[in-house]
Every structure is written in C-alpha cells, then in structure tokens.
Amino acid sequence: MLGFGAAVMIRIADSSERLAAARPDELATELENIAVAGRRLEVEATGLERTRAAVADGARGDADLDRARHEAEALAVLAGTGPAIGPGVTLRIDDPRGTVEAWILVDALQELRDAGAEAIELSGVRVVASTYIVDAPGGGMTVDGGSVAPPYELRVVGDAHTLAQAMRIPGGVLDTVATRDGTHAEVTNSDRIEIRALRAAPTPRFARPAG
C-alpha cells in the first residue's frame, strides 16, 4: 500500500510539474482532451442509465405477462377450455336397471357447485355453466348433445372434504340414489383428480368486447 501511495504521489507531482511548464497551446490541448473524455463518459453514463431503465421495464413487463398468463389459465379452468388438476372427489353411480333420472344428476351438479366445485367432468364430458342433461330415449342420458350410459362418474376438483359432505347431507344425492331400485352411489375423496375433457371456447353471436 505504501508503494502504491508513493507511485500515485509521484504521478500527481509529475503531472503538476508538466502542466506548470507547459505552453498555453499545450494547456489548451490538454483541456480539450479532458473535455472530450468528460463528454465520452457522459454518453456512456447516459447509455448505462437507459440500459438499467430498460432492464427494469422488462422485468415489470415480464411480471405483467406472468400475471396475465396465470389469470388466463385460471379462467380456462373455470370455462372448461383448459385441463384441471387438484384435490377433489369422485362420485360413481351404478344404475344397472336404468332407474336414475336426469334430474338426479342435475341436482348433484348443483350441490357440487354450491359446495365450491371448480372443475367437473361427467363420464368424459366437461361440465360448464351451460351444460344440460336430459333422459335419453331407450335409457341413459344426453349430456350436451352426447350420449352417456351408466355407470355415471362425476370427477370433481375442489375441497374434497366439503364436496364429500355435500353429497352425504341427509336427503342429498346419495340418499336419493339409494331409493332407486338396484342402484348404488359412492363418493371417494382424492388428493389428485385430473380432468382432461375440454370444451371448445364458444363464439358469441351478438356480444362484442367493449372498450
């Protein structure tokens, strides 16, 4: 450190002596060189500041994109246009004699939605807000225009305990199915329910985005 300090002092002393002995035109040239170097440093500093601001803006932009992506994925789950996975329940209804009617499944869907179901699949058909279920001629049911035959299986993502309790309430779905001849219903809790059935995104006929 002492050696470094001595070298600096010598360099400063040499510069001072050189400037003191310099002619006016040499001093002017030296000052111009210093000014040019200063302007170059200012340009570099401005460029670095712009780079820092761009990096900060990019980070904010990436955060906005991530947030928008997460929101789109959540909406896709609720709309049935995206797959869903999570805890939940499976409700299986065995109906070998065809005594279970469509309204029973409609009631089951309503009770599940009231209990907080976030994604539902009925025997391979993704259930959405517009889903309809009707009795099919000759047995079975029609779900959103497709044929579904027993046994019926509802796969539901949501709070497993709450959903299971909703199915087991007195006078609920399990009790109703039990009154039908030859039928049997069972609810199974699961830590992982995977729903892959999807719905195509609907195209509105009259509505347009407002903005």
Side-chain angles (χ1 to χ4, degrees):
M1 291 181 65
L2 288 174
F4 175 76
V8 171
M9 293 295 293
I10 291 171
R11 182 174 299 175
I12 292 174
D14 290 343
S15 298
S16 299
E17 292 176 359
R18 182 171 55 81
L19 291 174
R23 299 191 308 272
D25 58 331
E26 292 176 340
L27 289 175
T29 301
E30 188 72 23
L31 291 174
E32 180 63 24
N33 291 338
I34 293 174
V36 170
R39 288 194 293 271
R40 185 175 66 251
L41 290 175
E42 289 179 359
V43 171
E44 292 179 358
T46 301
L48 290 172
E49 181 63 26
R50 289 175 179 173
T51 300
R52 185 195 65 79
V55 170
D57 290 341
R60 286 193 293 269
D62 290 342
D64 291 340
L65 286 175
D66 288 341
R67 182 167 57 253
R69 187 180 299 110
H70 291 320
E71 291 176 355
E73 290 173 351
L75 290 173
V77 168
L78 297 177
T81 58
I85 188 171
V89 299
T90 299
L91 171 63
R92 179 185 172 90
I93 301 177
D94 293 315
D95 182 27
R97 301 182 183 179
T99 58
V100 173
E101 297 171 286
W103 67 266
I104 296 177
L105 291 185
V106 172
D107 281 355
L109 292 179
Q110 187 59 51
E111 290 179 8
L112 289 167
R113 285 167 172 156
D114 290 344
E118 296 179 354
I120 305 174
E121 180 182 312
L122 169 57
S123 296
V125 179
R126 187 67 172 268
V127 175
V128 295
S130 61
T131 291
Y132 68 89
I133 305 174
V134 295
D135 295 312
M141 299 183 191
T142 299
V143 181
D144 290 342
S147 298
V148 173
Y152 307 111
E153 185 176 82
L154 282 160
R155 297 165 55 79
V156 189
V157 173
D159 184 274
H161 175 74
T162 303
L163 295 172
Q165 289 298 104
M167 296 294 94
R168 295 189 177 104
I169 61 174
V173 174
L174 296 185
D175 286 351
T176 301
V177 172
T179 64
R180 299 305 171 107
D181 187 29
T183 61
H184 174 72
E186 182 178 6
V187 176
T188 304
N189 293 30
S190 177
D191 293 331
R192 179 187 174 90
I193 296 290
E194 188 170 353
I195 296 178
R196 291 292 178 183
L198 302 179
R199 298 294 293 264
T203 301
R205 294 179 56 194
F206 305 103
R208 294 292 182 270

